[in-house]
Amino acid sequence: MNQDAILKSLIADNLVSDPSGARGRLLREAAGLFRDKGYERTTVRDLAAAVGIQSGSLFHHFRTKEEILKAVMVETIRLNTALMQSAVDAAESNADKLRALIRAELESINGQTGEAMAVLVFEWRSLSESSQEEVLKLRDIYEALWLEVLEALRTEDVLAADPFVVRRMLTGALSWTVTWFRPDGGLSLDDLTSQVMGMMGMKQFL
C-alpha cells in the first residue's frame, strides 16, 4: 500500500485529519509554530492567524491549545506507525525490515512530518500527565515495530548488541539528521539509509 492509500485509510477511520481540511491545515501550521516559537510562546492568536481565522473559531475543532499539541503528536505517531508497518510488511528478510524502518523514520524526520516529529521530542513536557499517557501508548506500538525486528536480528546472530540499546542509539542518531542532512546535498535518503545500515555492519547494503 502506498503512502497516499495509507493516509486515505487513516482519514477514513478518523485516525488522522485530512491535510486539505480545516483541522488538518491547523495541525500543520501548529506544528510549525510550536517547533519555531515553542509551545508556551505560541498563542491562540498566532494559531488562528496562521490559518486565517478568528481566534474563537479554533475552538470549533479543539477545546484548548493543549489539545492541539496532543493532536499534533498523536496523529503524527499514528501516521508514521502505519507507514512503517506497511514498509515492514513489504520487506522479506529481517535485515530488509530494518532498512525499511530506518528509511521510513528518516523520511518522517526529514520529510512531511518533520516539524511535528520535532514537536514530539521537544514539547513532550508541555503535555499534561494524562495526555502523556495517551501518547506513550501509541509510542509503545511504534517502538515495538523496531524492537521486534532488532530482536529477530539478534536471534539470527546478525546483531550482537542489546536491541533496546541499539534502538535508543538509532533514535538519537536518526533524529539528529534534521540538523545536517540536506536532500539537495548530494546524499539521498536512500543513500543515507545505506550508510546507517553499513554502520551497523551490514556491508551488503552499501
Side-chain angles (χ1 to χ4, degrees):
M1 188 181 295
N2 62 35
Q3 291 191 12
D4 288 342
I6 291 170
L7 178 59
K8 287 178 181 178
S9 176
L10 292 173
I11 292 170
D13 291 337
N14 292 317
L15 294 174
V16 303
S17 303
D18 185 342
S20 64
R23 179 185 168 101
R25 292 197 306 273
L26 172 57
L27 291 179
R28 184 175 63 251
E29 295 295 337
L33 285 168
F34 292 156
R35 184 199 63 177
D36 294 341
K37 296 184 64 174
Y39 172 74
E40 292 298 336
R41 291 188 297 277
T42 299
T43 66
V44 170
R45 183 174 295 180
D46 292 333
L47 293 167
V51 290
I53 61 175
Q54 297 294 320
S55 297
S57 298
L58 287 180
F59 301 109
H60 291 307
H61 303 286
F62 300 96
R63 291 178 298 176
T64 64
K65 189 176 77 166
E66 188 198 341
E67 282 197 359
I68 298 175
L69 176 64
K70 183 175 75 171
V72 167
M73 295 183 181
V74 165
E75 294 198 11
T76 297
I77 296 175
R78 285 175 176 166
L79 174 59
N80 287 324
T81 300
L83 292 172
M84 286 188 169
Q85 184 67 68
S86 178
V88 167
D89 290 345
E92 295 184 3
S93 70
N94 287 311
D96 287 332
K97 292 177 189 296
L98 178 59
R99 180 185 173 88
L101 286 171
I102 291 171
R103 177 61 174 77
E105 186 154 285
L106 284 171
E107 172 66 29
S108 70
I109 292 167
N110 295 283
Q112 62 178 343
T113 62
E115 292 177 334
M117 289 288 282
V119 171
L120 184 61
V121 173
F122 294 110
E123 294 296 344
W124 172 253
R125 291 183 176 83
S126 297
L127 289 176
S128 65
E129 185 175 340
S130 60
S131 292
Q132 286 183 2
E133 290 177 359
E134 183 176 342
V135 174
L136 276 176
K137 289 179 181 178
L138 294 173
R139 184 72 179 183
D140 286 345
I141 297 171
Y142 179 96
E143 290 299 321
L145 289 174
W146 285 88
L147 294 174
E148 181 178 350
V149 171
L150 291 170
E151 185 60 52
L153 286 169
R154 185 168 68 169
T155 300
E156 293 174 358
D157 205 26
V158 174
L159 183 71
D162 182 285
F164 179 82
V165 174
V166 173
R167 175 53 185 152
R168 296 281 75 75
M169 297 291 285
L170 280 173
T171 298
L174 299 183
S175 296
W176 195 249
T177 59
V178 74
T179 67
W180 60 267
F181 175 73
R182 296 294 177 268
D184 56 357
L187 188 70
S188 70
L189 282 179
D190 287 330
D191 294 333
L192 183 54
T193 300
S194 294
Q195 291 296 317
V196 176
M197 291 293 286
M199 287 170 56
M200 298 183 69
M202 300 184 188
K203 296 180 180 179
Q204 70 269 32
F205 289 93
L206 287 172

